[in-house]
Amino acid sequence: SQTIHQWPATLVQPVGSPLSLECTVEGTSNPNLYWYRQAAGRGLQLLFYSVGIGQISSEVPQNLSASRPQDRQFILSSKKLLLSDSGFYLCAWSRGYNQPQHFGDGTRLSIL
Amino acid sequence: DAKTTQPPSMDCAEGRAANLPCNHSTISGNEYVYWYRQIHSQGPQYIIHGLKNNETNEMASLIITEDRKSSTLILPHATLRDTAVYYCIVRAQFFGNEKLTFGTGTRLTIIP
């Protein structure tokens, strides 16, 4: 069966510090991968998605970037965090564009 | 993607069937109905999806009306672990439409 791992579960970072969140998927190959942010009272916001290694689509302009160095690894990064980057970050995978997306347990990021 | 309307909250007795309604009166022919749920502080969990036929899996059943303007998610024997926010989503499936948009959902509370 397929599993998705995200870490860390919680993170507290100062403004201006860098960020690296990692997501890996097991039990499948060539998945579509996604990064979402869920802010309180605002629902889900798709940040990036990837259909293959090195292929990243950005949904909204922002202070974040994503990379996919390996087939089942998706990384969310920032060089300098802003207060507005606080939120619940979720990684998800699917078998393809017509398939359901399956989420990890998320990283709760607080910026001080 | 079409808009959905769900009741903000519902209660259900443990062991009984939980029936969660969703209205999607503006749904178009290529849009699927998806259901996810989110337990507090966890990532969303995919439950089921369908186009026009009723669907059943190990978690739930999805009943879609003939005109496809509404649907009902049925949890046949609710347990306390089914307490969560349930999201009904209508989503067109075509290449490049990767975004999942959650509304406010229904907060289902299972009563012991």
Side-chain angles (χ1 to χ4, degrees), chain A residues 8 36 47 53 84:
Chain A
Y36 285 87
L47 303 175
I53 295 174
S84 57

Side-chain angles (χ1 to χ4, degrees), chain B residues 58-76:
Chain B
E58 65 279 4
M59 289 183 66
S61 295
L62 173 61
I63 308 299
I64 303 174
T65 58
E66 193 170 341
D67 63 6
R68 302 209 320 123
K69 292 186 177 182
S70 65
S71 59
T72 302
L73 178 74
I74 301 172
L75 308 177

Side-chain angles (χ1 to χ4, degrees), chain A residues 23-89:
Chain A
C23 171
T24 59
V25 180
E26 295 177 359
T28 188
S29 59
N30 197 31
N32 283 7
L33 297 172
Y34 310 83
W35 278 111
Y36 285 87
R37 178 168 55 205
Q38 189 175 34
R42 290 192 183 179
L44 277 183
Q45 179 185 35
L46 179 63
L47 303 175
F48 301 95
Y49 72 91
S50 171
V51 299
I53 295 174
Q55 300 178 61
I56 309 294
S57 296
S58 174
E59 287 293 301
V60 293
Q62 59 210 323
N63 185 40
L64 302 168
S65 62
S67 62
R68 184 170 178 174
Q70 299 181 45
D71 181 45
R72 290 169 289 174
Q73 183 185 29
F74 206 23
I75 297 172
L76 184 69
S77 304
S78 173
K79 292 181 179 177
K80 282 188 177 181
L81 285 167
L82 307 173
L83 282 174
S84 57
D85 292 323
S86 291
F88 191 40
Y89 287 84

Side-chain angles (χ1 to χ4, degrees), chain A residues 32 34 36 38 44 46 49 88 90 97-105 108, chain B residues 34 36 38 41-44 46 49 87 91 93-96 98-100 102:
Chain A
N32 283 7
Y34 310 83
Y36 285 87
Q38 189 175 34
L44 277 183
L46 179 63
Y49 72 91
F88 191 40
L90 291 156
Y97 73 93
N98 271 343
Q99 302 301 314
Q101 294 178 23
H102 303 276
F103 288 82
D105 283 334
R108 196 161 300 279
Chain B
Y34 278 76
Y36 282 79
Q38 189 168 22
S41 296
Q42 296 182 20
Y46 164 76
H49 76 287
Y87 297 99
R91 180 173 174 231
Q93 298 201 149
F94 56 87
F95 185 76
E98 299 298 316
K99 179 169 52 180
L100 281 181
F102 285 11

